[in-house]
Amino acid sequence: MTILPGHAPLLAMLHPGIVFAADAAGNGRRAFVSGGIALVTADHLIVLAERVLPVEELTRDQLDEEILHLQIQRDGSRDEAARAVGRGDRAPR
């Protein structure tokens, strides 16, 4: 998703993946987040995540560990909808 200055307030769930945030001058940073919440206001973006790893410091071993952790978490869930989302499927109705 792209958020520009003056955006309407928004609260969004983040799936595990790469987040890129840049200021108005185009200076930005990329980070891997394990999932979390993004809070958007007219002039701020706040990302709350359990784990954040700067992309520049992310190693293949760390990424493999994150993937394994997420797979274990998905497979251990008793919630079929959560397992489906973790697999990338549509949630059952």
Side-chain angles (χ1 to χ4, degrees):
M1 101 174 64
T2 300
I3 299 167
L4 300 173
H7 197 285
L10 170 74
L11 183 63
M13 184 175 87
L14 299 174
H15 290 282
I18 304 295
V19 172
F20 176 75
D23 60 18
N27 302 313
R29 294 182 59 160
R30 294 182 326 146
F32 172 83
V33 297
S34 60
I37 300 171
L39 173 61
V40 177
T41 67
D43 58 355
H44 286 86
L45 166 65
I46 299 169
V47 174
L48 302 172
E50 183 178 328
R51 287 188 309 280
V52 178
L53 301 168
V55 169
E56 301 80 24
E57 298 174 16
L58 188 62
T59 66
R60 179 68 184 179
D61 289 340
Q62 287 173 313
L63 189 54
D64 288 342
E65 184 178 320
E66 288 295 327
I67 291 169
L68 179 61
H69 173 78
L70 292 166
Q71 288 171 335
I72 290 169
Q73 188 176 12
R74 175 202 65 204
D75 294 344
S77 175
R78 293 178 185 213
D79 181 356
E80 178 55 34
R83 286 196 308 271
V85 170
R87 289 189 305 264
D89 299 343
R90 294 185 124 190
R93 295 183 191 255

